[in-house]
Amino acid sequence: MAARKVRSPLGARIVAVLGVLLALAGFGGIVAAKSFLNDLTSSIEVADVDGHGGANGRPMSGAINLLLLGLDTREGWAENTSRADTIMLLHVSASHDEAYLMSIPRDTKVDIPAWANSGYAGGRDKINAAYFFGSQQGQGWPGGAGLMKQTVEQLTGISFNGLAVIDFNGFKNVIAALGGVHLCVEHDTWSSHYIEQNGKPVYYSYDGQAQLPNSWIHKKGCRTMAAWEALDYSRQRYGLPNGDYDRQKHQRELIKAMGAKATSAGVLANPAKLSELLKAAGASLKLDTGGYDPADFLFNLKVLAAADLVTLKTNAGSFNEDPAGGEALSAGTMRMFEAARDDTLGTFLADNPEYLSP
């Protein structure tokens, strides 16, 4: 089904934005912002990516699973050339008091199902390519997200209640609306996207694997980062001790930092800043709501307000080589996904604490 713009009543639209913020970062206290419902406007692009039909009027019950995709887009890239380089699974327990955030490494070799709408016959490839294959022949983001959803469900056995697609460039506006976020850089990290000219960062479409003499360096230490720096730091993997696993960790840290900033008094007590934040969030997201009305679906996610967000490490945080080449998911990781499917992650982590992210 083609993507459409949801232009629901003001209240429904802003609740939708609130719900997504909750889903992405456990933005607990932001539920209090419902008092602003009649003052804000926004729109979220929504599509039914696999034709699961309507579920309007039925509240969600039991465990909730969401697929979160971050697109790698660059200036000058043609439409529908993106790959989903960030793949996160959010599991909320049936008791709605626990939430777990997991990642799938972008280079994991998997079997990608056929996707007739885009002409893709299926095959084995890096998992981030599923989005690209699904988006071809005019299928756009609904096709890309649909094939990615089917791929992850086939891989993990988890059925998703819905998904969110986030363009990293759009994420900049959300971080800017927050006034930056506080992050800690563990190691001096060179950028594959920015170079230094006269002491200032300048975007450069190099994206190579070797550091340049004038590559921008994210210096070790803790500080409040502007939007460009926070986003760029969270996207780096070259030169880091654990490569893509460090990048996954930094992206989870970014999401948690955004949640902490969004629930701070400086945001919630400032109507203008809150309005700017919610509008930026709505404009940065694309959703599949699992057949629910977008407002109903996202309002159901208010359960995350009281849930503790726990981040987990795929492959216990280290590269797991596929004997056939590339990267594979470990047996322990597959048990972690099984535990998410069966809503027993608490028990799994008690027996496998190495999968907990600090």
Side-chain angles (χ1 to χ4, degrees):
M1 179 182 296
R4 59 187 175 86
K5 285 286 186 179
V6 174
R7 298 195 180 278
S8 49
L10 292 180
R13 281 182 284 181
I14 203 59
V15 168
V17 176
L18 288 170
V20 171
L21 289 174
L22 285 167
L24 291 178
F27 280 16
I30 207 168
V31 171
K34 285 183 65 178
S35 61
F36 293 95
L37 291 181
N38 296 322
D39 300 327
L40 304 174
T41 60
S42 184
S43 61
I44 299 174
E45 194 170 339
V46 175
D48 181 355
V49 302
D50 52 9
H52 31 40
N56 295 348
R58 291 194 289 105
M60 285 186 191
S61 60
I64 299 171
N65 294 299
L66 301 177
L67 180 61
L68 311 177
L69 306 176
L71 300 187
D72 186 9
T73 59
R74 309 288 169 81
E75 294 178 16
W77 281 18
E79 187 177 3
N80 297 337
T81 59
S82 298
R83 299 187 176 221
D85 275 1
T86 297
I87 307 164
M88 293 185 181
L89 291 69
L90 179 67
H91 172 78
V92 183
S93 64
S95 58
H96 293 173
D97 59 355
E98 298 172 334
Y100 301 90
L101 192 63
M102 299 159 276
S103 300
I104 297 179
R106 65 188 289 278
D107 293 335
T108 303
K109 286 291 189 69
V110 299
D111 293 319
I112 302 175
W115 194 252
N117 289 344
S118 68
Y120 178 63
R124 190 163 182 84
D125 210 313
K126 294 180 180 180
I127 193 169
N128 71 335
Y131 186 93
F132 170 81
F133 293 134
S135 67
Q136 300 308 296
Q137 295 192 17
Q139 295 305 299
W141 79 264
L147 181 52
M148 179 62 80
K149 179 183 177 185
Q150 191 172 114
T151 301
V152 176
E153 288 182 338
Q154 174 179 281
L155 176 68
T156 64
I158 297 171
S159 295
F160 293 100
N161 300 88
L163 64 84
V165 178
I166 308 155
D167 186 319
F168 279 129
N169 286 330
F171 231 31
K172 284 183 184 179
N173 297 329
V174 179
I175 301 172
L178 287 168
V181 291
H182 189 79
L183 289 172
C184 291
V185 179
E186 300 168 297
H187 311 275
D188 281 1
T189 303
W190 62 271
S191 173
S192 59
H193 306 134
Y194 284 86
I195 59 175
E196 180 179 348
Q197 289 185 354
N198 299 320
K200 296 181 179 181
V202 175
Y203 180 81
Y204 184 62
S205 58
Y206 164 61
D207 195 30
Q209 299 184 27
Q211 182 178 356
L212 299 175
N214 59 341
S215 292
W216 181 265
I217 305 296
H218 298 284
K219 296 291 187 181
K220 179 180 178 180
C222 299
R223 57 189 174 275
T224 296
M225 293 186 180
W228 76 267
E229 183 181 11
L231 193 58
D232 186 64
Y233 172 63
S234 73
R235 296 174 72 177
Q236 302 310 315
R237 60 183 174 129
Y238 302 129
L240 293 174
N242 296 301
D244 192 50
Y245 288 88
D246 282 336
R247 178 168 68 170
Q248 294 172 41
K249 177 175 180 286
H250 299 157
Q251 289 177 345
R252 292 191 298 266
E253 290 171 347
L254 173 61
I255 288 176
K256 294 185 75 171
M258 291 172 67
K261 186 67 175 288
T263 55
S264 67
V267 173
L268 291 180
N270 186 328
K273 184 175 288 292
L274 183 60
S275 175
E276 182 184 0
L277 168 63
L278 296 173
K279 290 176 181 178
S284 302
L285 296 166
K286 297 175 175 64
L287 296 177
D288 171 13
T289 64
Y292 283 81
D293 174 84
D296 291 342
F297 169 77
L298 293 165
F299 190 68
N300 272 307
L301 299 180
K302 66 184 183 297
V303 298
L304 285 169
D308 292 327
L309 183 64
V310 179
T311 58
L312 308 182
K313 296 185 293 186
T314 306
N315 292 344
S318 60
F319 183 83
N320 187 56
E321 185 174 2
D322 185 335
E327 189 167 6
L329 298 178
S330 66
T333 296
M334 296 308 297
R335 291 195 300 272
M336 179 178 74
F337 291 141
E338 290 172 5
R341 181 196 65 198
D342 299 336
D343 197 24
T344 58
L345 273 172
T347 301
F348 170 83
L349 292 172
D351 296 334
N352 302 272
E354 67 273 19
Y355 282 83
L356 275 172
S357 182

